[in-house]
Amino acid sequence: SYELTQPPSVSVSPGQTASITCSGDKLGDKYAYWYQQKPGQSPVLVIFQDTKRPSGIPERFSGSNSANTATLTISGTQAMDEADYFCQAWDSNTAWVAFGGGTKLTVL
Amino acid sequence: QLQLQESGPGLVKPSETLSLTCTVSGGSISSNSYYWGWIRQPPGKGLEWIGSIYYSGSTYSNPSLKTRVTLSVDTSKNHFSLKLNSVTAADTAVYYCASEVRNYNYFDYWGQGTLVTVSS
């Protein structure tokens, strides 16, 4: 299997920048993906192929991926961004879809 | 835009088989752009990939569940299905189906999810 590690929680003040990390062995050699999940809702893709935003995702969401760490950055964080965020990668060696354990983002 | 909808029993007895179907609308399940995946989420916990199937019937699945998982696809009905046998309380979760972008293996559209409880 392939493991991805995220911090359980991150806090940020409104208007500030939030950074959520995702660590995995040589993750930078793979694509990283990020999903946002609000309570009682299905996950929503917010970043694909490390840095790309799907249509409809605000520009304040951005991503990067290098070495062993991928990072989701939310600039000018808003109250509506409070949610759980999950990273995901595909490990071709083991044909395994890996999810990180998730990070609860609190905006306070 | 694809839409996916899970259906199936919300309550399954221990040792029995969990069966769910995902109906795809807004596109063809026979698209060569997608695999079709199942992901689950136990209450209050994270996401766990179960397995994925291509319209041709080719599958790959989570090794920790592989011996209990059966995936199938019905192109005539534009739906795909999951069977998980010998369930226990640990299989209680919200089960999601999703479209998995082929060659990149990420999920761009998700169903609303369905809670399956394993209890006698």
Side-chain angles (χ1 to χ4, degrees):
Chain A
S1 65
Y2 183 76
E3 293 191 4
L4 295 172
T5 302
Q6 299 180 236
S9 62
V10 168
S11 297
V12 64
S13 299
Q16 299 303 111
T17 297
S19 294
I20 300 173
T21 58
C22 174
S23 299
D25 184 47
K26 298 180 181 178
L27 180 56
D29 293 344
K30 312 176 192 304
Y31 280 125
Y33 305 95
W34 291 93
Y35 303 88
Q36 175 194 69
Q37 186 181 35
K38 296 182 179 180
Q41 298 183 18
S42 303
V44 173
L45 180 71
V46 294
I47 294 290
F48 67 102
Q49 292 176 240
D50 295 339
T51 61
K52 299 178 181 179
R53 281 179 293 103
S55 174
I57 300 302
E59 290 184 8
R60 63 180 181 273
F61 288 86
S62 63
S64 63
N65 186 16
S66 179
N68 296 315
T69 303
T71 303
L72 173 68
T73 302
I74 309 172
S75 304
T77 308
Q78 300 182 10
M80 68 173 63
D81 301 328
E82 189 164 280
D84 292 326
Y85 290 85
F86 295 91
C87 62
Q88 182 242 307
W90 162 252
D91 181 43
S92 58
N93 294 327
T94 55
W96 174 276
V97 174
F99 284 100
T103 298
K104 181 176 181 60
L105 177 68
T106 301
V107 183
L108 43 68
Chain B
Q1 177 169 324
L2 290 174
Q3 293 184 314
L4 297 93
Q5 178 69 57
E6 306 88 351
S7 59
L11 181 64
V12 181
K13 290 183 168 56
S15 79
E16 295 191 345
T17 297
L18 178 159
S19 296
L20 295 174
T21 294
C22 180
T23 301
V24 178
S25 58
S28 172
I29 203 167
S30 299
S31 167
N32 61 10
S33 298
Y34 285 107
Y35 270 77
W36 306 97
W38 291 98
I39 303 101
R40 69 180 183 178
Q41 185 172 35
K45 296 188 178 181
L47 301 170
E48 180 182 33
W49 170 67
I50 299 170
S52 305
I53 187 166
Y54 195 51
Y55 77 90
S56 64
S58 173
T59 65
Y60 55 100
S61 54
N62 186 325
S64 69
L65 298 170
K66 191 172 187 174
T67 59
R68 297 196 291 133
V69 168
T70 301
L71 303 176
S72 60
V73 61
D74 188 333
T75 55
S76 67
K77 296 181 179 179
N78 225 41
H79 74 206
F80 60 106
S81 299
L82 165 70
K83 291 187 186 298
L84 180 67
N85 62 32
S86 304
V87 297
T88 69
D91 294 310
T92 294
V94 175
Y95 285 75
Y96 296 100
C97 60
S99 53
E100 182 179 340
V101 177
R102 189 173 171 223
N103 295 326
Y104 293 97
N105 305 98
Y106 67 94
F107 303 96
D108 58 351
Y109 295 100
W110 294 64
Q112 67 182 30
T114 186
L115 174 63
V116 179
T117 301
V118 178
S119 175
S120 55

